[in-house]
């Protein structure tokens, strides 16, 4: 009988991919199979996120539950970004944890498994050339890391501390992985990195210097690959060459994540984002001029230290001007070992909550208006998920989630779908071609 692995993944797409890597290694080298049943697991892994404070607090209560429910002898491992930043402290607080494995060290999963109380959290460790055997949660879409770490120094962000300096993964390894995914039937690639359009900045050894635009060109030539998505690009690196390739390359999905963070040039400067409100708006204008149907999503932090009413008004102004298709919005949360942790001009908690509500309400209004325009339109959908009640869902090129009545026969297929019903997060339609 195979050993059972229960794995919970929090945080971003990078973490999901790291989990896929760990699952692959544990399966190939240790004979584990995944299970959804905590109580029957021989190994329980939690792949953590530390970008905001709340998930960190949740970790220890969750670990307590795991400890209570686990079967006798089952090991518990803490991986990911909180593992990187808390390290040994985790084992001190929760002595039943068998090992701690940082976000930069996932390739060592099968090593730490056999050591008692191992703590591997070295952020200088270079994982850029390691290759695991294939494990993909979706056969239709291949997530591929193109870089690890982050070289920016945004003053609110813990990520450079948990994932280390930025290193690009050699182009030939990425192309090989993409070809392998295409041979296995994946028609969509999802490229991952903290800062994807900074690709090529630094390789760990002697490698051909390829930038992100060129990488996109090469990937789009792989037979069988019909769609390419990526996250996250940085507005600072959105030069004209990149935006033009994005627009004219038919394989690149017309959906761009542009993390604004704040609409105020002053706050952006305090955050050390490297761009201004005007630059951001200019990039959106350029993007829409060459790719009129592009959908744009964003991340916004409200109540960063020192954010005045006027600064927040600037964020609302950008929101009204850009009319984002999707937003991920957060109240600022001070993080250890970041520059902003020491800022004293903290925004009052009530004001922060109010601003978040105002921002989200404005976005809901915008979305309701935008959604109406989809009714009756036809989108090419790539189906990926089988839902309950005989619904199958997928995404349009510009990232709208659309469901239709249907069976698993549609999975991995492209169809034209006419929108017949509008919801806030998902549209319904019928296949017309
Ligand atoms: N507080 C609140 N939000 C944060 N993010 C990153 N760090 C913080 C923080 N300290 C948000 C940013 C980022 C997203 C992944 O999380 O908007 O783009
Ligand atoms: Fe969370 Fe950032 Fe780590 Fe992703 S990289 S898991 S968002 S802290």
């Amino acid at each position: 009988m195979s050993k059972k692995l229960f794995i919970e993944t929090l945080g971003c797409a990078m973490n999901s991919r790291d989990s896929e890597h760990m699952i692959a290694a544990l399966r190939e080298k240790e004979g584990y199979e995944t299970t959804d049943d905590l109580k029957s697991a021989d190994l329980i892994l939690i792949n953590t996120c530390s970008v905001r404070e709340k998930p960190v607090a949740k970790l220890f209560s969750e670990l307590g539950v795991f400890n209570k429910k686990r079967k006798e002898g089952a090991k518990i491992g803490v991986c990911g970004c909180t593992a990187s930043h808390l390290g040994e402290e985790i084992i001190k607080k929760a002595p039943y944890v068998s090992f701690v494995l940082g976000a930069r060290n996932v390739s060592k999963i099968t090593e730490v498994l056999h050591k008692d109380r191992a703590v591997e959290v070295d952020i200088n460790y270079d994982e850029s050339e390691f290759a695991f055997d294939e494990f993909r949660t979706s056969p239709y879409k291949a997530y591929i890391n193109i870089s690890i770490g982050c070289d920016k120094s945004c003053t609110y962000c813990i990520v450079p501390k948990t994932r280390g300096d930025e290193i690009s993964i050699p182009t030939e390894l990425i192309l090989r992985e993409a070809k392998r995914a295409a041979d296995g039937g994946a028609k969509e690639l999802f490229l991952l990195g903290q800062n994807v359009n900074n690709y090529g900045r630094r390789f760990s050894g002697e490698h051909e210097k390829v930038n992100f635009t060129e990488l996109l060109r090469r990937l789009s030539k792989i037979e069988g690959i019909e769609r390419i998505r990526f996250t996250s690009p940085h507005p600072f690196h959105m030069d004209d060459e990149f935006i033009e390739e994005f627009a004219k390359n038919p394989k690149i999905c017309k959906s761009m994540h542009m993390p604004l963070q704040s609409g105020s040039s002053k706050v952006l400067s305090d955050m050390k984002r490297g761009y201004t409100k005007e630059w951001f708006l200019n990039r959106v204008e350029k993007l829409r001029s060459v790719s009129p149907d592009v959908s744009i999503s964003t991340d916004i932090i409200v109540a960063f230290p020192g954010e005045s009413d006027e600064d927040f008004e600037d964020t609302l102004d950008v929101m009204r001007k850009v009319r984002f298709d999707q937003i991920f919005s957060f109240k600022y949360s001070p993080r250890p070992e970041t520059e902003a942790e020491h800022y004293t001009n903290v925004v009052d908690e009530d004001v922060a909550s109010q601003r978040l509500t105002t921002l989200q309400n404005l976005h809901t209004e915008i979305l309701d208006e935008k959604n109406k325009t989809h009714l009756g339109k036809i989108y090419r959908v790539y189906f990926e998920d089988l839902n309950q009640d005989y619904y199958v869902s997928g995404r349009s090129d510009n990232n709208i989630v659309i469901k239709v009545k249907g069976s698993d026969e549609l999975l991995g297929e492209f169809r034209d779908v006419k929108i017949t019903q509008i919801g806030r997060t998902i549209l319904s339609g019928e296949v017309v071609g």
Side-chain angles (χ1 to χ4, degrees):
M1 263 235 314
S2 61
K3 287 173 278 182
K4 297 271 183 281
L5 163 69
F6 176 93
I7 181 163
E8 179 179 346
T9 306
L10 309 170
C12 63
M14 254 74 62
N15 254 23
S16 303
R17 184 62 187 140
D18 287 346
S19 285
E20 288 188 341
H21 275 158
M22 289 192 286
I23 294 168
L26 288 167
R27 191 187 55 189
E28 295 303 318
K29 297 191 188 139
E30 302 285 338
Y32 277 91
E33 289 301 333
T34 51
T35 176
D36 291 334
D37 177 26
L38 179 73
K39 289 184 189 134
S40 69
D42 303 283
L43 174 61
I44 298 169
L45 291 182
I46 175 159
N47 195 6
T48 57
C49 170
S50 55
V51 78
R52 279 169 294 280
E53 210 166 3
K54 252 196 219 144
V56 177
K58 247 182 71 186
L59 171 67
F60 287 98
S61 63
E62 194 148 28
L63 282 175
V65 174
F66 287 170
N67 185 36
K68 255 196 206 142
K69 292 195 173 164
R70 69 176 160 159
K71 79 173 184 195
E72 214 187 311
K75 288 186 177 181
I76 299 179
V78 179
C79 317
C81 288
T82 309
S84 306
H85 109 249
L86 294 182
E88 214 169 329
E89 219 180 291
I90 295 176
I91 294 191
K92 281 197 188 130
K93 264 195 176 167
Y96 45 84
V97 167
S98 306
F99 60 85
V100 175
L101 185 64
R104 182 93 170 209
N105 313 90
V106 292
S107 63
K108 295 187 176 171
I109 180 69
T110 53
E111 265 175 56
V112 291
L113 183 64
H114 299 294
K115 289 185 193 156
D116 191 30
R117 284 152 206 261
V119 178
E120 285 282 354
V121 291
D122 182 3
I123 58 163
N124 295 313
Y125 183 64
D126 176 16
E127 284 203 319
S128 62
E129 302 217 18
F130 86 91
F132 273 124
D133 294 302
E134 192 87 342
F135 178 87
R136 302 205 175 275
T137 30
S138 165
Y140 314 111
K141 183 182 335 193
Y143 288 94
I144 299 182
N145 284 341
I146 66 163
S147 60
I148 55 175
C150 179
D151 269 5
K152 297 272 179 242
S153 35
C154 302
T155 54
Y156 53 81
C157 190
I158 197 172
V159 174
K161 293 285 175 313
T162 62
R163 289 191 178 259
D165 289 345
E166 189 171 319
I167 301 182
S168 302
I169 293 174
T171 312
E172 63 273 16
L173 283 188
I174 298 173
L175 289 169
R176 200 200 304 154
E177 203 169 340
K179 279 189 193 125
R180 197 159 64 153
D183 290 344
K187 294 175 187 161
E188 184 171 314
L189 299 178
F190 206 125
L191 311 178
L192 300 173
Q194 293 301 332
N195 212 338
V196 284
N197 53 342
N198 201 24
Y199 179 78
R201 175 186 162 90
R202 184 194 304 120
F203 293 96
S204 65
E206 278 297 303
H207 290 283
E208 184 192 8
K209 280 256 172 204
V210 170
N211 69 13
F212 188 55
T213 309
E214 178 57 23
L215 178 69
L216 288 173
R217 281 192 199 111
R218 294 191 191 178
L219 285 168
S220 64
K221 291 191 184 118
I222 295 175
E223 207 176 313
I225 294 302
E226 305 204 27
R227 284 186 170 183
I228 302 176
R229 300 185 193 274
F230 50 81
T231 203
S232 286
H234 194 296
F236 175 78
H237 297 290
M238 291 194 177
D239 55 24
D240 285 357
E241 188 204 6
F242 164 65
I243 292 180
E244 279 155 21
E245 177 65 23
F246 174 89
K248 74 169 187 243
N249 187 328
K251 299 238 174 127
I252 301 178
C253 288
K254 300 302 174 268
S255 122
M256 186 80 91
H257 188 59
M258 293 182 72
L260 170 68
Q261 310 302 2
S262 167
S264 150
S265 294
K266 179 192 163 285
V267 174
L268 286 170
S269 156
D270 292 345
M271 289 174 162
K272 297 204 175 148
R273 288 288 290 168
Y275 55 87
T276 58
K277 175 185 182 185
E278 289 68 33
W279 168 261
F280 188 91
L281 289 173
N282 170 281
R283 294 296 82 192
V284 171
E285 200 180 311
K286 166 80 191 170
L287 182 61
R288 289 214 165 118
S289 73
V290 288
S291 185
D293 292 329
V294 66
S295 71
I296 303 180
S297 57
T298 198
D299 292 344
I300 294 175
I301 298 175
V302 300
F304 185 76
E307 185 188 72
S308 65
D309 287 342
E310 292 74 40
D311 292 323
F312 179 59
E313 203 35 64
D314 269 327
T315 300
L316 296 178
D317 185 46
V318 175
M319 179 83 124
R320 286 190 199 100
K321 288 192 165 112
V322 178
R323 297 172 65 77
F324 296 102
D325 295 86
Q326 194 180 14
I327 67 163
F328 301 90
S329 50
F330 316 98
K331 266 192 267 184
Y332 168 70
S333 163
R335 307 305 299 123
E337 293 181 71
T338 59
E339 221 180 303
E341 182 200 10
H342 309 291
Y343 293 178
T344 49
N345 44 357
V346 178
V347 175
D348 182 79
E349 178 61 28
D350 289 344
V351 174
S353 301
Q354 249 168 31
R355 286 184 187 164
L356 190 65
T357 309
T358 307
L359 183 78
Q360 291 176 341
N361 287 347
L362 172 61
H363 185 248
T364 307
E365 265 174 50
I366 291 171
L367 207 59
D368 284 347
E369 284 168 25
K370 281 195 144 198
N371 272 346
K372 280 186 212 148
T373 64
H374 297 307
L375 204 63
K377 279 202 177 144
I378 294 175
Y379 291 105
R380 190 92 182 136
V381 176
Y382 181 48
F383 288 101
E384 299 166 55
D385 291 307
L386 188 61
N387 311 127
Q388 286 161 335
D389 305 328
Y390 307 102
Y391 275 102
V392 187
S393 63
R395 283 168 194 269
S396 66
D397 181 281
N398 59 352
N399 213 24
I400 305 170
V401 181
I402 298 171
K403 66 174 184 181
V404 300
K405 280 245 182 239
S407 69
D408 54 0
E409 279 171 21
L410 279 176
L411 294 176
E413 298 292 325
F414 285 90
R415 291 284 186 280
D416 288 332
V417 175
K418 186 173 179 179
I419 305 303
T420 52
Q421 216 187 327
I422 304 295
R424 275 217 177 106
T425 51
I426 186 161
L427 309 184
S428 312
E430 37 190 66
V431 174
V432 292

